[in-house]
Amino acid sequence: MSSRTKLRSWLLGGALLMSSTAGSAGAPAVAIEGVELRVFDRAKGAIVAVDEASDPYGMNVDAVLLVKVKGTYEGDKPLRLKLTASAPKEESEAGSRRAWKTAQTRELHVLAEGGVTVVPFLMTYQCAATVKVVATLTGPGVQGTRTLDTAFPCAE
């Protein structure tokens, strides 16, 4: 094999490698589309909107944060979806409330075929006027964050 033939083989192989790498770089088109707060009403045994809860004082309910992930994914390693919720210390007519922070992580091995997967996170409902929720999605070729500024209201 001549040096010219070897050079052609190397160039052809390199071009094929680069084209396959470029095609797969944009393959995982997965993103967090949104985060929504609902509550699980223990008296009704159902997930409802916050203002539909049977107890306006935040008792007998749990916070349900629904993270909507858009796209499809079937990789060798699972995607990681981390949800963090936090509230600062508060003073109100009802008294003082301590600051709190909680985090949960879910692994997503496969997303729904229809292109939209809703992932629920269940946590203790703690009354707070200001709650910051941050959802972070990471994995091979995937990095995204979505923030929800909300409240966990309670009647005072």
Side-chain angles (χ1 to χ4, degrees):
M1 189 183 271
S2 72
S3 61
R4 179 180 267 173
T5 307
K6 285 182 185 177
L7 181 59
R8 280 187 191 158
S9 297
W10 279 95
L11 288 175
L12 182 59
L16 289 173
L17 179 63
M18 289 182 68
S19 67
S20 68
T21 304
S24 65
V30 180
I32 299 173
E33 190 170 87
V35 181
E36 183 180 338
L37 169 64
R38 297 287 184 112
V39 292
F40 179 78
D41 188 319
R42 296 180 199 158
K44 294 179 181 179
I47 296 174
V48 299
V50 176
D51 59 348
E52 295 173 349
S54 57
D55 185 341
Y57 297 97
M59 298 176 70
N60 272 330
V61 296
D62 295 298
V64 179
L65 290 151
L66 303 171
V67 180
K68 190 181 287 188
V69 179
K70 189 171 184 176
T72 57
Y73 179 79
E74 291 187 36
D76 293 334
K77 294 185 178 182
L79 298 174
R80 291 178 49 92
L81 182 58
K82 181 178 181 179
L83 185 97
T84 304
S86 61
K89 181 178 177 178
E90 294 180 355
E91 297 290 333
S92 70
E93 293 176 10
S96 64
R97 294 188 182 114
R98 65 177 180 82
W100 57 266
K101 183 176 184 176
T102 185
Q104 296 179 21
T105 302
R106 303 275 306 266
E107 287 190 347
L108 307 175
H109 294 274
V110 177
L111 299 179
E113 288 182 25
V116 177
T117 302
V118 178
V119 182
F121 288 86
L122 180 68
M123 59 185 57
T124 303
Y125 190 94
Q126 301 179 59
C127 300
T130 304
V131 178
K132 183 174 187 135
V133 179
V134 179
T136 306
L137 183 66
T138 57
V142 176
Q143 177 73 23
T145 301
R146 183 66 76 129
T147 302
L148 171 68
D149 292 317
T150 188
F152 285 13
C154 291
E156 298 288 337

